[in-house]
Amino acid sequence: MAGPRVVIIGAGVVGAALADEISARGWTDVTVVDQGPLPATGGSSSHAPGLVFQTNPSKTMTELARYTVEKLCSLDVDGKPCFLQVGGLEVATSPERLAELRRRHGWITAWGVEARLLSPEECVEQHPLVNRDRVLGGLLVPTDGLAKAVLAVEAQIRRATARGVRFRAHHEVLDVRQNDGRVTGVHTDHGEIPADIVVCCAGIWGPRIARMVGMDLPLTPLAHQLAWTGPVPALAGQTEEAVRPILRHQDADLYYRDRFDGLGIGYYGHRPMPVSADDIVSVEEADVMPSVLKFTEEDFEDAWTETQSLLPATREAKVEEGINGLFSFTPDGFPLLGESPDVKGFWVAEAVWVTHSAGVGRAVAEWLVDGHCSSFDLHECDVNRFEPHQLSPEYVLARDCRNFVEVYDIIHPLQPTGDPRPIRTSPFYARQQELGAFFLEANGWERPQWYKANSPLTEGRSIPVPNDWAARYWSPIVGAEAQATRETVALYDMTALKRLEVGGPGAGAFLERLSTGKVDKSVGSVTYTLLLDHDGGIRSDITVARLARDLFQVGANGNTDLDWFRRHLPADGSVAVRDITPGTCCIGLWGPLARKVLQPLTDSDFSDDGLKYFRAKRAYIGSVPVTAMRLSYVGELGWELYTTADRGLKLWDTLWRAARPLGGVIAGRGAFNSLRLEKGYRSFGTDMTYEHDPYEAGLGFAVKADKGDFVGKAALERRKADVWRRLACLTIDDPQAVVMGKEPVYDGDHAVGYVTSAAYGYTIGKGIAYAWLPARLATTGTAVQIGYFGRRIEAVVAEEPLFDPAMSRLRG
């Protein structure tokens, strides 16, 4: 046996895939336990209809699905295939859905999977049961199909077993043993199994297992209806299980699949039916299997009526059987992958459907064996991404049920997330409400997008109205606030940004070790730098301000940064990391008149010599003590002003009272995004992620190669020699052609990249889109096209930054 002792809890499609993938990488001292029989264990895998649609707004989720398809296509059990590659067809029965299919075609094309849009006639050619009079068009992905989940489990069990992996059926996990913050084994009803690593792949039982190590898993099992018809006369004589594409009718929350001469019908349009993981019956108690609940016919009535309309041939058939099958849902719709923040060696691979199962198996195997995942960008899937409030039972249940309801909805990129709201409000919230703020949510914070009180600012300005899609959750006030920021001065609520305090005698060396820049500098220094993974990919971009000899404030991107810091803390206790976001607040005071607002309010020197660009100091603004950092992500003179939450409202009122006589405004995130793109500032998680390195992303300046060793340095030096893609700035002349992100970019007929961030530049008078392109195309003047709802928008690669390349405004 090789590698550490690993116990995998759950032998469904995820656990079996992980056992196969991890043993293929040389770790064979692996035991997989499941409370049910093998290979049909009684979890979601055992009843899953197996539809694999690869199209997803997330590049990562599409790539996980693509690998799943590729792998399952290569597997069989005694000649029986594990995947039936019949293709996937989505149909539109409304103009809105037809437009959405064009957007979805853009995603799947951007992510490199073959797909094509179909006319109504072509939809019927692909699936002859479809009523031509109902459909307006369709989207076909030829490589989609049906995963035979139980066969896939068996095939991967056989492969892993041949390498020495042990599978133990009918082993119920009663406890996960731990000692001094590390797992030591698993206690089952058949005794103890020692372990160095335990991976929870228990699916709908995941929350129950995770609680054994004190971990709150934001996962809710919800029942989803699946029915099977009897024989459909139009399909009489069909001897193959599936010959037509799997079919989605998302306007009615329905999907369909062949089963010889009958059909399977899946339905998401019914009321949410959540079940506690603690209330799922045991294998012995279940009538069919634990993940299968009794079919509620009354909830299926609308689905059957709609099915008979879309597929008229079913009028001659009957629904003969059905189930309410349990599947896992999470607050943001992504899987839960990674290690517990508190118990070393306890990992989860949860909330994973069959669609992404083999991909997740590979991703987690790489993560465990290599220390990082090289095949997939997992920043959206990290189990430690959630803020504390997002783990509360009330929040998890509400958001998981909402995700069930919206599983097939058309979701706008800026669409508000719904209840429970508000959860987190800055000290300025009451003032923002008085000014008519339109709020969107950011990490639970209510963050203004624009202010109705600024509507008079639009008078006399030329602010182009974008296309209908981009105009949702938009107002011309956004443009007025952006222009006013450049003309006078504006206050921005920056409270939603994550703030960490790193202190202790080892803090400087600690941050030097984790970041690419030189941060162990003089008190008052502020450094923009990067956190890298061990493979040289960007984990985050941060600002590090040295406030005292042994005290630093870090501007981070989210909870995964906090988790990363904590995992790398030295064992000697010389460094402490604390999230100070909840108890603090921040105002960005930016614009050419910012100094005229600030200087009369303080005895401290805020001249260019008194506080240079990228420097910080403590000061009093009126009666409010602040930490002032001379930073500006809108490209204008100004400061980020931090204070404690109890003093925030006083700071706001003090600054606003001084700004108003100078024509100052309060501005929102819409203006901020436009201004930061004009200045070429990147946003982690959108413009660059774990899969990108600093040189590709145009952030090589943040890497100080002449400093000592840091995490990812050796890998980065290797990657530097092979930069084959770059993040490029594109401009668009058509003022209505504002794109939203994730659209494909074409060079002629070939999709060669995709858009990350986009907005209209109200200063430069052009649309802006950042996009990943092959390095050969990422040169100034190159003409490309952006695919947008089936249209092609002309764009050109521009030299960046688009605004103030001499930095004179920032350094004024």
Side-chain angles (χ1 to χ4, degrees):
M1 294 292 182
R5 298 169 299 175
V6 179
V7 173
I8 297 171
I9 302 173
V13 284
V14 180
L18 176 57
D20 180 34
E21 295 283 345
I22 202 170
S23 60
R25 286 163 176 77
W27 283 16
T28 54
D29 192 355
V30 178
T31 304
V32 184
V33 297
D34 200 291
Q35 63 184 340
L38 298 176
T41 63
S44 301
S45 305
S46 302
H47 74 257
L51 285 80
V52 175
F53 287 93
Q54 297 167 84
T55 308
N56 195 288
S58 164
K59 181 173 181 283
T60 295
M61 296 299 280
T62 293
E63 290 177 342
L64 290 169
R66 177 166 52 192
Y67 179 78
T68 300
V69 168
E70 292 170 355
K71 181 175 183 180
L72 297 192
C73 280
S74 71
L75 300 179
D76 69 87
V77 175
D78 301 329
K80 293 179 286 188
C82 293
F83 196 81
L84 306 178
Q85 200 159 43
V86 292
L89 174 64
E90 301 178 46
V91 294
T93 59
S94 66
E96 294 80 12
R97 183 64 63 177
L98 185 62
E100 172 71 356
L101 291 188
R102 294 184 181 123
R103 185 167 73 121
R104 294 174 66 81
H105 179 256
W107 294 338
I108 198 72
T109 302
W111 311 149
V113 178
E114 178 191 356
R116 66 179 187 271
L117 293 165
L118 304 184
S119 67
E121 292 75 19
E122 289 172 318
C123 291
V124 176
E125 288 177 14
Q126 291 291 327
H127 202 299
L129 299 189
V130 168
N131 183 350
R132 163 62 183 82
D133 295 335
R134 288 291 316 278
V135 299
L136 303 179
L139 172 65
L140 178 70
V141 179
T143 52
D144 286 347
L146 283 169
K148 305 291 292 178
V150 174
L151 283 178
V153 168
E154 185 172 358
Q156 292 175 102
I157 286 177
R158 290 184 180 187
R159 284 159 55 112
T161 300
R163 301 186 192 105
V165 174
R166 300 169 295 273
F167 285 83
R168 301 288 183 257
H170 302 292
H171 277 54
E172 182 182 359
V173 173
L174 303 177
D175 195 14
V176 177
R177 303 299 198 194
Q178 54 182 301
N179 181 48
D180 196 25
R182 177 177 289 279
V183 296
T184 59
V186 171
H187 176 54
T188 77
D189 56 355
H190 286 67
E192 302 283 328
I193 305 174
D196 305 302
I197 294 172
V198 174
V199 187
C200 178
C201 303
I204 54 178
W205 291 277
R208 184 194 299 179
I209 300 296
R211 276 202 308 275
M212 294 176 182
V213 297
M215 186 177 184
D216 293 322
L217 207 61
L219 181 159
T220 303
L222 281 118
H224 155 59
Q225 291 200 301
L226 175 64
W228 300 97
T229 72
V232 178
L235 305 181
Q238 181 174 319
T239 57
E240 295 182 62
E241 180 179 354
V243 296
R244 279 162 293 278
I246 54 176
L247 177 66
R248 275 206 283 203
H249 175 27
Q250 297 186 87
D251 281 325
D253 298 303
L254 285 161
Y255 64 76
Y256 306 93
R257 56 151 294 177
D258 286 7
R259 187 171 73 165
F260 301 103
D261 62 351
L263 291 176
I265 306 169
Y267 186 45
Y268 288 103
H270 55 80
R271 60 194 168 89
M273 304 178 195
V275 175
S276 169
D278 295 322
D279 294 335
I280 302 171
V281 299
S282 67
V283 174
E284 292 76 19
E285 295 172 319
D287 293 334
V288 180
M289 62 181 74
S291 62
V292 170
L293 307 182
K294 184 179 178 181
F295 187 60
T296 50
E297 294 182 10
E298 64 276 12
D299 290 303
F300 196 72
E301 290 176 358
D302 291 344
W304 183 234
T305 300
E306 181 61 24
T307 295
Q308 292 174 306
S309 175
L310 182 73
L311 308 175
T314 59
R315 296 170 187 167
E316 301 179 65
K318 294 182 179 179
V319 173
E320 292 195 346
E321 56 181 306
I323 63 170
N324 287 3
L326 295 178
F327 290 93
S328 300
F329 283 78
T330 62
D332 58 8
F334 286 99
L336 307 172
L337 310 180
E339 188 180 22
S340 161
D342 301 312
V343 180
K344 293 186 182 300
F346 184 82
W347 290 67
V348 299
E350 288 289 345
V352 182
W353 291 5
V354 174
T355 301
H356 309 103
S357 57
V360 165
R362 178 175 180 173
V364 175
E366 289 180 353
W367 199 348
L368 286 166
V369 176
D370 301 331
H372 61 85
C373 176
S374 57
S375 296
F376 308 99
D377 160 35
L378 298 180
H379 84 275
E380 294 168 308
C381 307
D382 193 315
V383 70
N384 297 298
R385 65 189 179 268
F386 297 101
E387 295 289 326
H389 72 273
Q390 294 174 312
L391 300 175
S392 70
E394 176 185 327
Y395 181 95
V396 171
L397 180 61
R399 289 294 170 92
D400 289 0
C401 288
R402 183 182 178 91
N403 278 333
F404 177 89
V405 170
E406 294 181 342
V407 71
Y408 279 173
D409 284 4
I410 299 170
I411 306 294
H412 191 275
L414 297 179
Q415 185 167 316
T417 48
D419 290 334
R421 282 181 68 191
I423 295 177
R424 308 175 83 181
T425 57
S426 77
F428 328 129
Y429 183 61
R431 297 290 187 266
Q432 293 165 342
Q433 288 179 303
E434 292 168 3
L435 293 167
F438 177 80
F439 293 99
L440 296 180
E441 184 186 353
N443 295 324
W445 293 96
E446 295 297 315
R447 184 168 67 186
Q449 194 74 358
W450 70 80
Y451 294 87
K452 188 176 180 181
N454 287 329
S455 57
L457 286 175
T458 62
E459 297 174 9
R461 296 180 186 272
S462 178
I463 300 172
V465 178
N467 56 79
D468 289 346
W469 183 250
R472 297 187 189 184
Y473 311 105
W474 175 88
S475 165
I477 297 171
V478 169
E481 290 176 357
Q483 292 176 353
T485 302
R486 299 248 187 260
E487 295 162 359
T488 56
V489 63
L491 276 68
Y492 287 82
D493 180 0
M494 304 299 291
T495 302
L497 298 182
K498 192 80 162 177
R499 292 174 293 283
L500 308 178
E501 183 181 272
V502 182
F510 171 75
L511 291 168
E512 281 283 317
R513 171 67 179 155
L514 289 186
S515 68
T516 62
K518 294 182 177 179
V519 300
D520 195 0
K521 299 186 293 190
S522 62
V523 173
S525 64
V526 182
T527 307
Y528 175 82
T529 185
L530 307 172
L531 304 178
L532 303 184
D533 213 329
H534 297 280
D535 64 349
I538 301 171
R539 285 196 62 95
S540 189
D541 64 335
I542 61 175
T543 55
V544 179
R546 188 167 208 165
L547 304 182
R549 180 177 175 273
D550 295 331
L551 182 66
F552 297 80
Q553 182 172 310
V554 176
N557 281 295
N559 220 50
T560 51
D561 292 349
L562 175 60
D563 180 67
W564 185 253
F565 278 173
R566 285 177 171 167
R567 289 184 188 279
H568 288 83
L569 285 173
D572 61 7
S574 62
V575 182
V577 177
R578 186 167 66 98
D579 182 2
I580 61 171
T581 313
T584 57
C585 59
C586 178
I587 296 174
L589 179 70
W590 295 315
L593 302 184
R595 187 171 284 120
K596 290 187 177 180
V597 171
L598 194 63
Q599 189 60 76
L601 301 174
T602 179
D603 293 334
S604 297
D605 185 359
F606 277 88
S607 67
D608 189 42
D609 291 332
L611 187 63
K612 295 185 180 297
Y613 186 51
F614 263 78
R615 297 288 297 178
K617 70 177 178 181
R618 300 267 175 70
Y620 287 94
I621 306 301
S623 60
V624 180
V626 302
T627 298
M629 299 184 196
R630 191 169 168 193
L631 311 177
S632 171
Y633 282 91
V634 302
E636 295 290 339
L637 169 68
W639 301 268
E640 292 180 357
L641 302 170
Y642 298 88
T643 192
T644 52
D646 61 322
R647 300 183 182 105
L649 187 59
K650 181 64 174 179
L651 178 63
W652 175 280
D653 289 344
T654 300
L655 293 171
W656 183 223
R657 191 163 47 246
R660 290 184 69 181
L662 298 176
V665 301
I666 308 293
R669 188 69 178 184
F672 177 93
N673 197 50
S674 170
L675 296 170
R676 69 108 179 159
L677 287 179
E678 288 184 330
K679 195 60 184 164
Y681 292 140
R682 278 74 165 135
S683 174
F684 177 79
T686 303
D687 297 315
M688 68 279 190
T689 65
Y690 294 1
E691 68 177 299
H692 305 114
D693 70 50
Y695 302 109
E696 297 172 330
L699 298 174
F701 67 88
V703 179
K704 305 305 179 186
D706 59 343
K707 65 175 278 188
D709 193 24
F710 55 85
V711 173
K713 183 177 183 180
L716 188 60
E717 289 173 351
R718 293 191 296 269
R719 293 177 68 151
K720 184 179 181 180
D722 184 27
V723 177
W724 57 274
R725 61 185 172 185
R726 293 190 185 278
L727 185 62
C729 176
L730 310 181
T731 57
I732 304 164
D733 288 334
D734 182 352
Q736 285 198 318
V738 175
V739 300
M740 300 293 293
K742 302 188 178 182
E743 297 86 2
V745 180
Y746 292 89
D747 177 28
D749 293 331
H750 302 287
V752 293
Y754 59 92
V755 173
T756 58
S757 295
Y760 190 78
Y762 298 100
T763 310
I764 66 167
K766 291 178 182 288
I768 306 169
Y770 273 77
W772 282 101
L773 296 177
R776 62 181 176 82
L777 296 176
T779 56
T780 303
T782 300
V784 294
Q785 294 179 317
I786 300 172
Y788 189 65
F789 287 93
R791 325 169 27 201
R792 296 288 185 90
I793 294 173
E794 300 293 334
V796 64
V797 178
E799 187 173 354
E800 56 174 330
L802 300 171
F803 176 78
D804 189 27
M807 304 282 281
S808 59
R809 308 271 290 211
L810 282 166
R811 300 180 184 277

